[in-house]
Amino acid sequence: MLGAPPLSVAEGLPDLGEAAQADFSPAQERRIGESVMNEIRRDPAWLGDPEINSYLNRLGNRLSSQIEENRQEFDFFALRDSTLNAFALPGGFIGVHSGLILAAASESELASVLAHEISHVTQHHLARLMNKSGQGQVTSLLALAVAILAARSSPDLAVGAALAGQGAAIQNQLNYSRDFEREADRLGLGLLERSGFDIRGMGSFFERLQKSGRVYENNAPGYLRTHPLTTERLADMGNRIQGRPYKQVADSLDFQLVRAKLRAEEGTPRDAVTEFESHLKDRSFSGSEAAMRYGLAEALMRDGKPAAAEKELAELRRLKAVSPMIETLAARLRLKQGDAAGAVRILRSALPHFPQERAIAYGLVEAMLEVRLPADALKVTEDELLSYPSDARMHALQAQTYALLGKRLQQHRAQAEAYALRGQVPQAVEQLELAQKSGDGNFYEQSQVDARLREMKKRMLDEAKQAKDLKR
Ligand SMILES: [Zn+2]
């Protein structure tokens, strides 16, 4: 239950003996993380930008692939929030605020925060906070995860109370203990180093975080509240870094483009345009010109000036900058000017070059639906789902495609898969029941729906039973 105030739990604990979590199975941790994610996806701060999330996942996986015997699955995602924060939920879900991405002076700095969070996950720090308090219950871990969310930015996040299912006040501050922080720093530094980043990134970023904390005073940035930064910790980090050879690591184009995109979407469109223009004019930017042109094009598009944005796109092509993000920008520019067919052309030819980039596939299906090419769109969704069967968004796009084709059974069946993958089992059941009643499927399709509905109903019962057992 929610009664345990995380702060008192965090005090006076740690015996950092073993990393193994005692009372929570990885599957339990994952399920807790997933239920919190369902709430996060409904939060207004949820960015849901497949390009930014896919970049964070590439960066995060580069780090996590350095963990020995890594069996943990990770999911990284961005939230639109100007505070400097990042947080880990049980089950490997790691959220990063846009403010933190924009505050990072280098990719190594951003990587250092991800490495630190990854280490909180692999060491099961959250679960261990619960175990030490003698309440190894999934509901307490869930409450703790909710408390992290609440501490994330606003203390009165409605999500918390709703999720915990009880009205108790949520402790809005969760402090990892100092020892957990030190452990996450130490292991994070190792990951950073083995992944080929500049390990000085960790020291420099955390030092700047601390300085910004002084400026904010009581209203310290979220990261400092959930990950207390002490002089001791900084000194510790300094000692580890000392004597290591200096390593110059260039930032990837993706890192620069992601930052430019986030910046272009902030504030008023006019301000964003002016900022990129002035950087380009005085050549006052640390990264590549391409990233500045890209940001300017995004800002101009937002400002309702697609023709000017097209000029910047032409400059990007001239600079021979290659990234899937430039292709989706080109396609969005076409769409903005009412040329959906042009968007289809661009994305159709980009897809084979960037087969793993989800944003290209999503954009292509959406553009095909816009120009009423449902048969082509269906083919793309089928191909994509063969490679990525658990892509919930692609199942949802397939449902839209079937709707346009007038195939109701298939539409509801696809929508059910989208819900099931997001852990929304009752909604999946509802969709399968609609599919059953649609009356436009053949015998084979009907039996498939019947079988899937039985599975989903069983899952719904099992989950309800588990939840009840846990409350006992
Ligand atoms: Zn931490």
Side-chain angles (χ1 to χ4, degrees):
M1 54 160 274
L2 188 61
L7 254 187
S8 63
V9 171
E11 273 163 23
L13 343 123
D15 153 32
L16 293 178
E18 11 107 45
Q21 81 281 33
D23 296 346
F24 301 102
S25 71
Q28 277 175 322
E29 284 199 18
R30 186 78 188 171
R31 269 193 41 217
I32 291 166
E34 266 163 6
S35 65
V36 178
M37 283 309 293
N38 278 332
E39 297 303 319
I40 292 185
R41 288 195 194 96
R42 285 197 273 267
D43 193 303
W46 172 251
L47 251 171
D49 183 317
E51 294 185 314
I52 293 172
N53 289 349
S54 105
Y55 165 71
L56 289 175
N57 278 286
R58 274 198 303 280
L59 182 63
N61 291 334
R62 176 169 160 191
L63 294 159
S64 67
S65 66
Q66 297 300 323
I67 304 166
E68 286 158 43
E69 293 182 48
N70 179 28
R71 265 163 276 133
Q72 173 74 51
E73 213 180 310
F74 284 97
D75 269 291
F76 300 86
F77 58 93
L79 294 173
R80 160 96 46 217
D81 190 315
S82 60
T83 57
L84 312 183
N85 206 359
F87 57 95
L89 298 169
F93 296 95
I94 293 178
V96 188
H97 285 191
S98 54
L100 187 103
I101 301 174
L102 287 170
S106 70
E107 195 165 27
S108 291
E109 288 196 353
L110 178 59
S112 74
V113 174
L114 297 191
H116 176 96
E117 294 301 328
I118 287 170
S119 304
H120 276 315
V121 173
T122 55
Q123 299 311 104
H124 302 280
H125 282 162
L126 271 181
R128 284 156 76 191
L129 278 180
M130 287 330 296
N131 288 343
K132 296 288 174 189
S133 74
Q135 314 192 13
Q137 293 177 7
V138 170
T139 39
S140 342
L141 184 54
L142 182 58
L144 197 56
V146 167
I148 297 186
L149 269 194
R152 190 179 69 70
S153 45
S154 65
D156 59 347
L157 209 65
V159 161
L163 237 192
Q166 36 203 304
I170 287 164
Q171 177 70 47
N172 73 6
Q173 263 184 325
L174 175 105
N175 288 351
Y176 280 122
S177 77
R178 234 185 246 178
D179 298 280
F180 282 171
E181 285 310 309
R182 266 212 303 264
E183 191 174 50
D185 287 344
R186 180 174 58 79
L187 294 170
L189 262 183
L191 294 182
L192 204 58
E193 182 162 41
R194 294 201 295 282
S195 312
F197 288 105
D198 177 15
I199 56 168
R200 280 171 177 74
M202 191 174 265
S204 61
F205 200 23
F206 285 20
E207 219 162 298
R208 277 197 290 123
L209 283 173
Q210 195 189 35
K211 280 197 190 113
S212 70
R214 260 188 226 126
V215 177
Y216 290 88
E217 299 219 357
N218 293 333
N219 194 10
Y223 199 76
L224 297 184
R225 276 191 273 124
T226 46
H227 307 252
L229 192 55
T230 58
T231 318
E232 193 189 341
R233 249 184 92 196
L234 282 175
D236 236 41
M237 242 182 285
N239 285 336
R240 290 184 205 284
I241 294 167
Q242 211 181 27
R244 302 298 182 85
Y246 177 72
K247 188 168 183 179
Q248 178 89 41
V249 183
D251 296 335
S252 69
L253 178 62
D254 285 351
F255 170 73
Q256 299 177 42
L257 292 176
V258 160
R259 283 164 50 86
K261 188 176 191 183
L262 285 171
R263 175 61 196 97
E265 288 167 354
E266 275 198 345
T268 69
R270 194 71 277 215
D271 287 350
V273 168
T274 310
E275 186 179 327
F276 283 109
E277 275 176 349
S278 70
H279 282 315
L280 278 161
K281 191 162 149 268
D282 341 322
R283 307 202 63 80
S284 58
F285 47 86
S286 53
S288 69
E289 181 184 340
M292 289 296 116
R293 299 264 172 220
Y294 171 89
L296 180 54
E298 284 279 358
L300 284 166
M301 185 160 61
R302 230 186 111 205
D303 201 22
K305 299 193 171 61
E310 287 281 1
K311 274 191 201 143
E312 295 307 318
L313 179 66
E315 282 297 304
L316 275 171
R317 301 283 193 208
R318 190 185 57 77
L319 290 165
K320 300 211 170 8
V322 176
S323 162
M325 288 177 73
I326 295 172
E327 303 308 318
T328 59
L329 166 71
R332 280 181 287 127
L333 262 173
R334 289 283 102 214
L335 279 174
K336 200 95 179 174
Q337 295 166 94
D339 178 16
V344 169
R345 251 194 325 276
I346 290 167
L347 295 172
R348 212 200 278 267
S349 62
L351 190 60
H353 295 284
F354 307 103
Q356 287 172 318
E357 192 55 46
R358 314 309 301 134
I360 300 247
Y362 299 147
L364 179 57
V365 175
E366 282 160 358
M368 282 173 163
L369 293 180
E370 182 114 4
V371 286
R372 295 282 186 271
L373 290 173
D376 296 48
L378 184 62
K379 178 82 178 67
V380 177
T381 62
E382 284 169 349
D383 290 349
E384 290 294 317
L385 288 172
L386 275 182
S387 312
Y388 300 93
S390 53
D391 183 338
R393 183 160 170 178
M394 192 54 79
H395 282 284
L397 283 172
Q398 192 174 59
Q400 282 182 39
T401 307
Y402 277 125
L404 208 58
L405 287 164
K407 296 192 168 187
R408 292 179 44 237
L409 177 141
Q410 293 287 28
Q411 174 197 338
H412 294 300
R413 189 201 48 76
Q415 190 58 50
E417 293 311 313
Y419 281 131
L421 284 162
R422 290 184 179 134
Q424 294 168 273
V425 184
Q427 287 90 333
V429 166
E430 196 183 15
Q431 288 295 320
L432 288 165
E433 283 169 347
L434 286 171
Q436 231 177 12
K437 287 185 208 128
S438 69
D440 67 349
N442 59 33
F443 173 76
Y444 175 69
E445 290 165 343
Q446 285 284 2
S447 344
Q448 263 188 329
V449 167
D450 294 346
R452 194 70 174 129
L453 182 57
R454 278 194 298 275
E455 271 171 37
M456 280 296 138
K457 279 187 168 163
K458 183 171 183 304
R459 187 171 149 193
M460 193 162 74
L461 285 176
D462 287 350
E463 288 184 4
K465 187 172 171 292
Q466 275 173 352
K468 220 167 114 193
D469 287 349
L470 288 166
K471 282 198 187 113
R472 262 197 257 131

